[in-house]
Amino acid sequence: MNTQPHDHIVKSYDEERQRLIGEILRMGEMSAAQLEAALDVVERRDDKAAARIIGNDEAIDTLEQEVSHDVMKLALRGPMARDLREILAALRIASDIERIGDYAANVAKRSTALNASPPLPHTRGLNALGQLVVRQVRDVLAAFAANDADAAQRVRAQDAEVDTLYTGLFRELLTYMMEDARAITPCTHLLFMAKNLERIGDHATNIAENVWFLVHGDDALPPRDKRDETNVAT
Amino acid sequence: MNTQPHDHIVKSYDEERQRLIGEILRMGEMSAAQLEAALDVVERRDDKAAARIIGNDEAIDTLEQEVSHDVMKLALRGPMARDLREILAALRIASDIERIGDYAANVAKRSTALNASPPLPHTRGLNALGQLVVRQVRDVLAAFAANDADAAQRVRAQDAEVDTLYTGLFRELLTYMMEDARAITPCTHLLFMAKNLERIGDHATNIAENVWFLVHGDDALPPRDKRDETNVAT
C-alpha cells in the first residue's frame, strides 16, 4: 500500500472534493423534494404540511453554509486552475439550490393564504408549471452529478417552455381577477407563486450554465430563447 | 527601492485585491445609479429612458464576470485564510449587486407597461419605498468600502422598515384593484415592482451580512426583525 505523503494529500483533496459534490447533490435533492411537497400542499390545501415545508428550509440553508466552509478548505489547499473552476462552480450551484429551496418554501407559505379563500380552478395551471420546473431541477442536478454539459444545455433550452407556460398562466389569472373582484387577493398569491416557479426555472438555467462552465470553461454558450412576456403585458 | 521578488509578489497581490474592491464598488455605483434612474422613469413615464436602463444592465453583468475572473486569479495565488474570506465575500457581494441591477432593470421594463394605462396615484408609494431602498444600497456600499461592520449592521436592521413600507403598499394596491377592475393590470405591475424593490432591500441585507463576515468571520450576527407580511395576506 502506498503511503507517500504526496499521495496522501492528493487522495485527501479528492475525498474533500467528493464530500463537497455529495453535499451539493444532497442540497439539490432536498430542494427538489421541497418543491414537490409545496406543489402537493397547494393541491391538498394542507396548512400543516405547508408549515413543515417552511420549517425544513433551514436545513438547506445550513447545508449551504457547510458547502461554503468546504469550499474555503479546498481553496486553502492551493488548487490548480481546473480544480478552482470546479469549486467556484460548486459555490454558485449551491447558492442557486438554496434560492430554489427559498422559493419552494414561499410557495408553501402562500398556499396557506390561498386556503383562506374557496378553491380556485387555476391551481391546476400552477401545478402544470410546477411539474415542468421540478423536471428541470431534477434534470439539471443529474447533469451536474454526471458532469454532462450537453444534458445541462438541454435543460437550459427548455427554459423557454417554462416561460411560455408562465406567461399563459399570468394572463389567465389577470383575466380572472377582472371578472371577479373577490378573486383578486388569492389570484395575487397565485401570480407570485407562478413567478416563484418561473424563478426556480431561471435558477435551474443558472445551474445548467455552471455545469457548462465546469466542463468547458468560459467558452461561449449557444444563445437562449426567452419567452417571458409578462414584464410588459398590458 | 526594494525590488526583492517576494515583495514584488506581495505588492502585486495587494494591487489585484485593490482592483477587485474597485470593480465591486464600481458595480455597486452602477446598480445604485440604475435603481435611481428606474425610479425616475416611473415618475416621468419616459419609455426611452427606460430602454436605456434596460440596455445598461449588460455592463453590470460584464463587470460581475470580471470580478469572477479576478477572484480566480487571486485564489490561484494561494491566499491565507483571512484573504480567502475576503475574496469569498467579494464574490457573494458582486452576485448580490448583479441581482440589484437586474431588479432595477425590471422596474424600468415594467414602467413601460404602466405607461400604456393612465397615471396611477400609487407610483408615489412606490417611489417612497424606492428611495428608502436606494439609501440602503448606498449605505451598505459605503460600509463595504470602509470595512465597517457596525454600519453594515445598521443597514441590516433597517430592512424591517423596507418590509413595513412594502407590506403597506401591497395592501393598498390590492384594495385599489378591488375598487377598479381597469386598474388590475397596471396594479399587478406595481405589485411586482414593489416586490423587486423589497428584494433589492434583501440583497442590501445580504451584502451587509457579508461585510460582517468579512470583518468578524462566522461569528453569529444579532437576530433580525422581519416585517414582510404580504406572503400570508388574506
Side-chain angles (χ1 to χ4, degrees), chain B residues 1-80:
Chain B
M1 190 181 155
N2 190 337
T3 52
Q4 294 290 309
H6 180 259
D7 269 293
H8 175 71
I9 288 170
V10 170
K11 189 185 169 203
S12 189
Y13 182 93
D14 199 56
E15 275 171 359
E16 287 284 345
R17 186 186 159 271
Q18 288 301 336
R19 193 180 122 93
L20 179 67
I21 293 171
E23 277 168 354
I24 291 174
L25 289 173
R26 202 155 68 246
M27 266 186 88
E29 174 51 40
M30 283 165 74
S31 282
Q34 285 275 90
L35 175 57
E36 284 174 323
L39 296 172
D40 194 47
V41 297
V42 176
E43 293 291 290
R44 288 192 294 110
R45 298 170 67 84
D46 182 341
D47 284 355
K48 273 191 190 163
R52 273 200 301 278
I53 295 167
I54 297 162
N56 286 345
D57 188 46
E58 214 179 294
I60 300 174
D61 296 351
T62 305
L63 212 42
E64 196 204 1
Q65 285 172 356
E66 279 175 35
V67 167
S68 284
H69 274 121
D70 287 353
V71 160
M72 289 269 283
K73 279 203 289 191
L74 280 171
L76 283 171
R77 286 167 174 270
M80 311 296 285

Side-chain angles (χ1 to χ4, degrees), chain A residues 95-143:
Chain A
S95 160
D96 281 308
I97 292 173
E98 190 267 334
R99 291 298 306 148
I100 291 172
D102 279 353
Y103 284 120
N106 193 264
V107 168
K109 200 169 188 178
R110 287 188 187 273
S111 80
T112 64
L114 272 192
N115 296 346
S117 310
L120 289 171
H122 300 84
T123 56
R124 248 176 315 169
L126 189 82
N127 195 270
L129 176 62
Q131 296 308 330
L132 181 61
V133 169
V134 166
R135 206 180 69 202
Q136 293 280 88
V137 171
R138 293 217 173 269
D139 285 353
V140 83
L141 290 171

Side-chain angles (χ1 to χ4, degrees), chain A residues 138-156:
Chain A
R138 293 217 173 269
D139 285 353
V140 83
L141 290 171
F144 170 65
N147 226 12
D148 185 341
D150 293 331
Q153 170 54 22
R154 282 193 297 275
V155 172
R156 187 169 167 266

Side-chain angles (χ1 to χ4, degrees), chain A residues 64 68-69 71-73 75-76 78-81 84-85 88 91-92 95 99 103 106 109-114 116 166 170 174 177-179 181-182 184-185 188-189 191-192 195 199 203 213 218 228 230-234, chain B residues 64 68-69 71-73 75-76 78-81 84-85 88 91-92 95 99 103 106 109-114 116 166 170 174 177-179 181-182 184-185 188-189 191-192 195 199 203 213 218 228 230-234:
Chain A
E64 196 203 3
S68 284
H69 274 122
V71 160
M72 289 269 283
K73 279 203 288 190
L76 282 172
M80 310 297 282
L84 194 59
R85 197 162 74 196
L88 193 62
L91 204 60
R92 289 190 193 138
S95 160
R99 291 298 306 148
Y103 284 120
N106 193 264
K109 200 169 188 178
R110 287 188 187 273
S111 80
T112 64
L114 272 192
Y166 168 63
F170 184 93
L174 282 188
M177 287 158 90
M178 287 174 204
E179 283 165 4
R182 288 163 309 172
I184 287 176
T185 301
T188 299
H189 286 296
L191 279 175
F192 277 98
K195 184 73 191 169
R199 290 292 299 143
H203 286 287
F213 167 75
D218 269 332
D228 171 9
T230 62
N231 296 315
V232 289
T234 54
Chain B
E64 196 204 1
S68 284
H69 274 121
V71 160
M72 289 269 283
K73 279 203 289 191
L76 283 171
M80 311 296 285
L84 193 59
R85 198 162 73 197
L88 192 62
L91 204 60
R92 289 191 193 136
S95 160
R99 290 299 304 147
Y103 284 120
N106 192 263
K109 201 167 187 178
R110 288 187 187 273
S111 80
T112 64
L114 271 191
Y166 168 63
F170 184 93
L174 282 189
M177 286 156 91
M178 288 175 205
E179 284 166 4
R182 287 164 308 172
I184 287 177
T185 301
T188 298
H189 286 296
L191 279 175
F192 277 98
K195 183 73 191 168
R199 290 291 300 142
H203 286 287
F213 167 74
D218 269 333
D228 171 9
T230 61
N231 295 315
V232 289
T234 55

Side-chain angles (χ1 to χ4, degrees), chain A residues 36-87:
Chain A
E36 284 174 322
L39 296 173
D40 193 46
V41 298
V42 175
E43 293 291 289
R44 289 193 293 110
R45 298 171 65 86
D46 182 342
D47 284 356
K48 272 191 189 163
R52 274 199 302 277
I53 295 168
I54 297 162
N56 285 345
D57 188 46
E58 215 179 295
I60 300 174
D61 296 350
T62 304
L63 213 41
E64 196 203 3
Q65 285 171 356
E66 279 175 37
V67 167
S68 284
H69 274 122
D70 287 353
V71 160
M72 289 269 283
K73 279 203 288 190
L74 279 170
L76 282 172
R77 284 167 175 272
M80 310 297 282
R82 171 69 180 76
D83 295 329
L84 194 59
R85 197 162 74 196
E86 183 176 75
I87 60 183

